[in-house]
Amino acid sequence: MTSYQIVMDDELEILIDAETIENAVAGLAERISRDYAGKDLVLVGVLKGAVPFLADLARAVTIPVELEFVEASSYGNGTASSGEVRLTRDLDRDVTARHLIIVDCIVDTGRTLKTLLELLRKRLPASVEAAVLLDKHVCRTEDVGIRYQGLEVPDRFLVGYGLDWAQKYRNLPYVAAVLPEKMNI
Ligand code: IMP
Ligand code: MG
């Protein structure tokens, strides 16, 4: 099946193809499976962007995990972070004494993950770590320890594999950059 290779729009440039994503996810899943063998692990997905990554990661790990969700918002509909991270959906379960991994598709400034890590630590889990597939390393302003990182990406506005541009393009099975001349900002 090759239909996904057709770019849905002429405003995108594919940066990371589906196979590269699959390999990166497999590598992270292997490490997580080893590190948490015999432990009570909950993967906490950050809605909505983490959905494809969480689904693939959860199926690639070889240990039992539970899935929970939070939702955080910092970008609104724009293409630059507003700077303020709001929790728009909290966990609906007690996670005391459980091992948690926050799962998000991308880390940019690090503010979202830092806020979520601080918040979840207050719930007294056995441990809390973070896993991200994409790392916009040059944009980091926060000192946040991320134990599981997949692929480094450039400082461009990205869509696909969960990432959106005003809610569009989350369903692309690859990661693409929006062409600067199409962004109108
Ligand atoms: P941070 O708080 O600056 O690290 O930003 C993290 C959040 O911003 C992610 O969870 C994404 O929702 C969003 N984000 C960061 N970079 C991009 C991008 O290139 N495209 C779409 N969303 C992004
Ligand atoms: Mg977004």
Side-chain angles (χ1 to χ4, degrees):
M1 202 187 67
T2 54
S3 58
Y4 70 81
Q5 286 168 352
I6 299 163
V7 176
M8 284 182 157
D9 220 297
D10 64 358
E11 60 194 12
L12 305 182
E13 176 192 343
I14 298 179
L15 293 191
I16 304 174
D17 64 21
E19 193 185 344
T20 307
I21 293 173
E22 195 180 330
N23 289 337
V25 173
L28 293 174
E30 200 181 309
R31 284 180 53 204
I32 289 171
S33 303
R34 210 171 36 234
D35 295 349
Y36 290 87
K39 290 183 177 162
D40 174 28
L41 178 60
V42 183
L43 301 179
V44 180
V46 184
L47 294 170
K48 303 171 189 163
V51 168
F53 177 40
L54 180 72
D56 287 345
L57 185 70
R59 286 177 295 178
V61 293
T62 54
I63 57 170
V65 295
E66 289 185 21
L67 307 182
E68 296 294 340
F69 294 93
V70 292
E71 184 165 10
S73 149
S74 68
Y75 267 44
N77 276 341
T79 55
S81 177
S82 65
E84 183 208 351
V85 179
R86 285 184 307 126
L87 191 73
T88 51
R89 183 197 194 275
D90 201 344
L91 291 172
D92 51 17
R93 231 168 266 276
D94 181 14
V95 290
T96 310
R98 311 195 67 186
H99 293 278
L100 310 180
I101 300 179
I102 301 175
V103 177
D104 205 350
C105 184
I106 193 165
V107 57
D108 186 344
T109 63
R111 275 193 292 261
T112 303
L113 272 184
K114 191 176 176 166
T115 305
L116 291 175
L117 281 164
E118 281 167 5
L119 193 115
L120 291 185
R121 278 194 194 105
K122 291 186 191 145
R123 311 284 168 87
L124 306 180
S127 69
V128 54
E129 300 288 350
V132 294
L133 179 68
L134 307 173
D135 178 10
K136 253 190 213 175
H137 197 73
V138 294
C139 298
R140 193 88 79 260
T141 59
E142 308 302 315
D143 182 20
V144 50
I146 302 169
R147 186 148 172 207
Y148 304 100
Q149 306 190 34
L151 306 161
E152 199 165 310
V153 287
D155 178 17
R156 294 183 63 180
F157 191 73
L158 307 176
V159 294
Y161 202 67
L163 295 176
D164 72 303
W165 184 15
Q167 302 306 321
K168 213 164 72 159
Y169 292 134
R170 290 194 197 275
N171 63 313
L172 296 178
Y174 47 78
V175 174
V178 180
L179 295 174
E181 64 268 26
K182 304 281 183 178
M183 285 182 47
N184 294 326
I185 53 163

